[in-house]
Amino acid sequence: MQSIKFMLLRAFFLFYVVLGYSQNSDAYDVKANYIKQEVDIVMRDGVKLHTTIYSPKDTSKKYPILMQRTPYSSRPYGKDQFKSKIGPNEFLMKEGNIIVYQDVRGRWMSEGVYDNMRPYIPNKKGKQFDEASDTYDTIDWLVKNLNNTNGRVGVWGISYPGFYATYSLLDSHPALKAVSPQACIGDFFFDDFHHNGAYLLSYWRATAVFGYEKTKPTTEPWYSFPDIGSEDQYQFFKDIGPLSNLDQYYKDDNVFWTQLKEHPNYDDFWQKRGIIQHLKDIKPAVMVVGGLFDAEDLYGPFETYEKIETQSTNYNIMVFGPWSHGDWARDKERQAIGNVYFGDNLSKGYQKNIETKFFNHFLKGEATNETGLPEIQIFDTGKKEWNSFENWPPKNVGKKTFFLSEKEGLSSKSGSGFSEFISDPKKPVPYSEDIKMVFTPRKYMTDDQRFAARRPDVLVFETPVIEEDMTFSGEILAKLNVATTGSDADWVVKLVDVYPNNAKGTEETQEYLKMANYHMMVRSEVMRGRFRNSFSKPEPFLADQKTEVNIKLQDVHHTFKKGHKLQIQIQSTWFPLIDLNPQTYVPNIFKAKASDFTKQTHKVYHDSAIEFSVLK
C-alpha cells in the first residue's frame, strides 16, 4: 500500500504546499532572476521561525515585500534549491517583488510548538505570543534587515495560509499595507472539519497533517497517512461503523483527533480558535477571495469580508468566482467544476486584472482607496458571467419565499400536512455517485443530484419550468418545521438547478452522464439537529413533536434561467461527507456505540419555507 501513501502525500503537496498557481504557464527561470536566502528570525519569546526570502537580482530599484506564512512547508530547502514559481501569481513574480515564505511556529524547519488554529491573545504583554505577534515580529525584521525594499509589505495565502493572512490583520505592523485572505478559514466549527456541528468525515484522513507534533526542525514529513486499504470511501466508512472504531488508525499521539473527540460541541476550546470575531478596526487594505464552489472554506471568506466591512473603515473588497478550493491561483484554460463548465481563462483574468492590480496599487502605487476595482466582483454561476456591485448582498434585492408543499411542489403559500421518509443509518444517502477515495472532496459541489432525487429517503420539492430568469444573490435560509420518531437527526438542504431536456454536454461531462435534465447542486448545507438552538448546548428532540430547525446556507449568486426548474432536496444522511447521526441522542457522537444507531421516520411539514434574496 506504499503507492497509496505516496499518492496521498503527493496530492497533499499539490493542493496545499504548491498551491500558488499553474505550473504550466510560460517558462520562467526563478533562479536566473532571484537570489534566495534562508534565515531563522527570532520571535519575542526567543523561538526561531524559518524564513525563505527571494529577492530580485535587479537591485536598481526598491521592491515591496509579499509574504506567505504556511504550515505546509516553505520548501524546497537549501540555498541552491528554488521553487519553480513564487508569489501569488506569475505577473507579480515576473515584474519583481521580494517574495517571502515562512514555516509557522512548530511546523517543518521552524522551532516551537504548533497549535492548530492558535487562539488570538488581545493585549499581549511581555513575551506572550500568537500568530499576530509572530507576523509582526517577522515583518519588523524584514523591513529593518532587507536591502532594496520600499518598506511596504503585503500578505497573501490560500486555505490555511489564508487563515494566517487574516491573522496578520490583528495588531498589524505599520508596514503592512495590503492583505488578501483567500479561502481563509474563519472558524474550525463551521469550516473544513465541521459544518454546523456535523463532523466532516470526508476530511478524516487530513487529521494526520494537523494532529502529530514534531520535536525538532525537519525538512521531511514527521506524519504519515493511515493505510486503509480501500479505494471505496463509502464502503470503507460504512464498514468501520461508529467513529470510535477509527481510533485504530489514530492513537492518543494524534493531538487533533483527540481534540475532535473531546470537544464535540462549540465549547470554549473551539470558540477561542475562531478568528472572525476579532476582525475590528482593521487598518491594512483587504481583498477577500473565495470560490463559490469551495467545499472546504466557503464560510470563512464570506464571514471575513462581512465582519471587516461592518466593524472597520479600511479599504475592503471581495472577489468570488466559479472556483473550487484555490482554483483562482491555477491556470486552467477551461474553468469547470465537475461536469459544469463556466468559461475560459477566468483564473488568469483574475490574477492579471484583479490580484496584481490590488497589490501593486497598495505596495507600489498611490495606496489610496481609488483602485479602480469594484467593491464586489462575483460570478453569476447560472448566466456564467461576472457581475460587479457596490455592496454585498446587493442593495437591489427583494425577499422571495418558497414553501415546501404537497405533491413535491414549491408554493408561494404555506400549506398543511407533511412529507415523510425513513432514514436508515445502515443505508445512508451518498454525497456522490463516484466510487473513489479522495483526500478532501471537491467535485460534489456541482454534482448531478438525480441519483439522490430518485431515492425514497430524499424529499424533493420543485417548481414548474421557470418562465423568466430569476437571480438569487445573498444567503439562503431554510426554515424547516420537522418531527422525528427518534431523539436526534441531521437535516440536509440542497438547492438544485434542473437543466432543460435539451441541454447539451461539454468536454467535461462524465461519459455515463447527459446534461439533459442535469440536476446541478448550487448550494447545500447540513444542520446537526441537536444544535438547532445552540451550538454550545445541544439538546435532543422530543419524539413526534413538531420542531423548528433553521439552516443558513452560504451565499450564492446564481440565475435560474428561463426553461430551467428550481428544486429543493431534503435528506438526513449525506455519507461519508458527514458522519452518521445515530438518530438516538447521545452526549458525544464520537463515543456512540453501534447499538445507538437506529432507523427513524422523519417528517417535514408543509409550512416549512426556503427564503431567498432575489435580484430586482
Side-chain angles (χ1 to χ4, degrees), residues 154-216:
V155 172
W156 95 98
I158 299 172
S159 193
Y160 215 141
F163 165 77
Y164 292 112
T166 305
Y167 223 132
S168 74
L169 296 168
L170 307 180
D171 307 328
S172 60
H173 193 283
L176 182 60
K177 303 300 181 182
V179 177
S180 184
Q182 304 177 7
C184 45
I185 306 167
D187 192 311
F188 249 6
F189 206 72
F190 302 97
D191 277 316
D192 280 320
F193 288 89
H194 296 95
H195 276 212
N196 291 328
Y199 170 57
L200 269 289
L201 184 59
S202 49
Y203 287 66
W204 170 75
R205 283 184 298 164
T207 309
V209 179
F210 305 106
Y212 295 112
E213 295 183 351
K214 66 181 182 65
T215 57
K216 60 182 180 181

